[in-house]
Amino acid sequence: MILSIIIASLDRHNDLSVCLDSIDHLVVARKLQKIIEVYVVDQSQITFKPIKDYNFKFFVLASEKGASRARNKALKECSGKYVWFVDDDAIIIDLDLEALISQSKHVSFLNWKERPIMYLPGVGRRINLVRKSGAPFFIIDTQMLRKLGGFDERLGPGAEIPAGEDLDIILRLDNEKKICDFNTLGSVSHHYVEHNMIKSLSYVRSRGIVLKKNKEILLFILDVLYSFRRFNLNGLRR
């Protein structure tokens, strides 16, 4: 198996069905039936049941609440050389899997349709990592991620610190093996959900904790400024 897609979901079965349909469309269009598998890890009280058959290997696991915990549960079971943690309300537009295979990188990136984030040469490699750190927008070598112990379960939706788990993964991967290639291999649509100021500040605080954990104080200051500008205290995704 080449690619395992892991989707942690909680009480958004309609969105999840749309997400799975977009994966199915990609699989059929690019003839990827034998090399993609999908794990849905459902934290809902009623576990998701698909209403149709998909053109890929499909598994549903039940999990306690916590996105990082759910993702780690599927990470232990998946068989793909690479793993991709797609949000349940995201829509897959395209993925060049042949390029992913031929490049054999430990991290590959995808474009965010609603907020394209281009590589900015000359501003610092780690700054670009922070800007590209959303979980649906990178694909990771599975063995590398397992070596790092997967996601920190203290971070992310449903955990003590409700965000920043994806940023933490990127920084830890970069510490293990320097990430220098920011070319994108596909595109994902992921719309904003407007939140109030308190939740927006919680997001910024969580990322600050992660940056401090990874001893990135300067990046913390820059990320705070970028987050306020990017979301205007209004457009947080989660």
Side-chain angles (χ1 to χ4, degrees):
M1 192 64 61
I2 300 298
L3 179 64
S4 298
I5 300 176
I6 295 175
I7 308 171
S9 184
L10 174 61
D11 296 332
R12 291 199 291 205
H13 289 173
N14 288 337
D15 288 335
L16 175 60
S17 293
V18 174
C19 177
L20 291 169
D21 284 344
S22 73
I23 297 171
D24 199 52
H25 177 76
L26 173 70
V27 166
V28 173
R30 287 191 170 263
K31 299 179 180 180
L32 305 174
Q33 288 89 339
K34 296 182 179 181
I35 57 178
I36 284 184
E37 64 180 9
V38 177
Y39 282 81
V40 166
V41 194
D42 199 353
Q43 307 152 76
S44 311
Q45 285 190 334
I46 300 176
T47 303
F48 175 76
K49 292 183 179 179
I51 59 175
K52 58 179 283 188
D53 293 328
Y54 296 111
N55 292 285
F56 46 77
K57 288 187 176 181
F58 182 65
F59 308 90
V60 178
L61 305 176
S63 172
E64 297 179 5
K65 289 185 179 180
S68 292
R69 177 182 296 177
R71 291 165 175 166
N72 285 342
K73 184 170 185 176
L75 179 63
K76 294 176 181 177
E77 299 195 16
C78 68
S79 60
K81 176 176 173 56
Y82 302 98
V83 62
W84 184 11
F85 297 94
V86 175
D87 286 356
D88 58 3
D89 59 344
I91 296 174
I92 311 307
I93 299 173
D94 194 22
L95 170 64
D96 188 346
L97 197 58
E98 291 182 1
L100 175 69
I101 297 169
S102 63
Q103 294 178 20
S104 299
K105 298 186 298 184
H106 64 290
V107 180
S108 298
F109 293 94
L110 296 101
N111 182 50
W112 182 4
K113 178 186 175 183
E114 286 73 27
R115 289 276 182 170
I117 301 174
M118 304 301 292
Y119 173 67
L120 298 177
V123 302
R125 194 180 52 79
R126 296 277 276 193
I127 293 175
N128 284 287
L129 283 179
V130 170
R131 296 175 69 248
K132 289 179 171 286
S133 60
F137 311 113
F138 56 80
I139 297 173
I140 310 172
D141 181 276
T142 304
Q143 292 305 317
M144 175 72 75
L145 185 55
R146 286 172 176 162
K147 179 181 177 181
L148 293 175
F151 286 87
D152 185 339
E153 296 185 4
R154 299 169 297 175
L155 304 172
E160 175 186 354
I161 302 167
E165 78 288 354
D166 38 15
L167 172 59
D168 181 62
I169 282 290
I170 281 292
L171 292 176
R172 287 162 52 207
L173 281 165
D174 186 60
N175 289 334
E176 183 73 17
K177 190 171 182 180
K178 196 174 183 180
I179 300 170
C180 296
D181 188 346
F182 293 91
N183 292 329
T184 56
L185 300 181
S187 183
V188 178
S189 174
H190 197 232
H191 291 279
Y192 291 107
V193 176
E194 290 190 356
H195 281 318
N196 59 35
M197 183 178 291
I198 292 176
K199 289 187 177 180
S200 297
L201 288 173
S202 175
Y203 174 84
V204 174
R205 173 182 173 272
S206 297
R207 287 173 66 88
I209 291 171
V210 169
L211 288 167
K212 182 178 178 182
K213 169 189 172 185
N214 287 275
K215 300 179 181 179
E216 294 286 359
I217 304 303
L218 177 59
L219 281 182
F220 165 63
I221 297 171
L222 294 174
D223 190 57
V224 169
L225 295 174
Y226 175 67
S227 295
F228 275 82
R229 180 174 181 271
R230 176 181 175 187
F231 300 117
N232 293 319
L233 291 179
N234 229 335
L236 191 60
R237 287 184 289 120
R238 294 196 183 278

